[in-house]
Amino acid sequence: MDNKCSKYEGLFVFSDDESFRKHLEECSDCQSEQQKMDKVSALIDEVKFHYYQKRNVVPKLRAVCAAALLLFSTLTFGVAVNDEDLMDTLRYGETLSAEDLGFPVDSYGLLMVGE
């Protein structure tokens, strides 16, 4: 029967660094596990830059779109509020007619084509 050490995961997660390193010096099974973990860690460190470089584009793009939308809505609302002629004709529940827009109309409120 093979007597392999199964303490690596428990020591890695729950023990302090000193006792974990002390056990690694004594146990060859845990040393091989640590070497595997070091290799995986090195691979992760190698690709981490590329992963974060691609990932950071999306939040920046969202922030730029939100700022553009905020700027556009602020300017549009500011023009509507400061245009007193438009605000005098537009009230709640009212609609613009052809006469309000400055077109020539007849007595029925229809556009005059020509006389």
Side-chain angles (χ1 to χ4, degrees):
M1 182 169 203
D2 196 37
N3 291 331
K4 281 192 163 186
C5 180
S6 60
K7 295 180 182 178
Y8 180 79
E9 185 177 345
L11 288 172
F12 182 77
V13 174
F14 296 112
S15 76
D16 58 342
D17 287 339
E18 184 178 323
S19 61
F20 178 65
R21 294 290 172 200
K22 187 176 182 182
H23 179 75
L24 280 178
E25 292 173 2
E26 298 170 358
C27 181
S28 63
D29 293 334
C30 292
Q31 284 177 0
S32 65
E33 287 293 319
Q34 181 63 30
Q35 289 173 353
K36 289 178 189 176
M37 292 294 276
D38 290 339
K39 288 179 184 178
V40 170
S41 181
L43 286 173
I44 290 172
D45 286 340
E46 186 178 330
V47 298
K48 185 185 342 181
F49 173 74
H50 300 293
Y51 175 73
Y52 284 122
Q53 184 180 14
K54 291 178 183 175
R55 190 170 176 222
N56 287 337
V57 173
V58 175
K60 290 177 184 176
L61 185 61
R62 286 182 184 163
V64 168
C65 288
L69 180 66
L70 182 66
L71 180 68
F72 177 74
S73 62
T74 303
L75 290 176
T76 304
F77 184 71
V79 168
V81 167
N82 291 333
D83 191 2
E84 295 176 7
D85 295 333
L86 181 64
M87 294 306 290
D88 287 340
T89 45
L90 289 178
R91 299 285 178 218
Y92 289 109
E94 293 181 5
T95 58
L96 290 175
S97 64
E99 187 177 12
D100 293 334
L101 294 173
F103 294 112
V105 293
D106 60 5
S107 61
Y108 296 108
L110 301 173
L111 286 175
M112 291 179 59
V113 178
E115 292 184 37

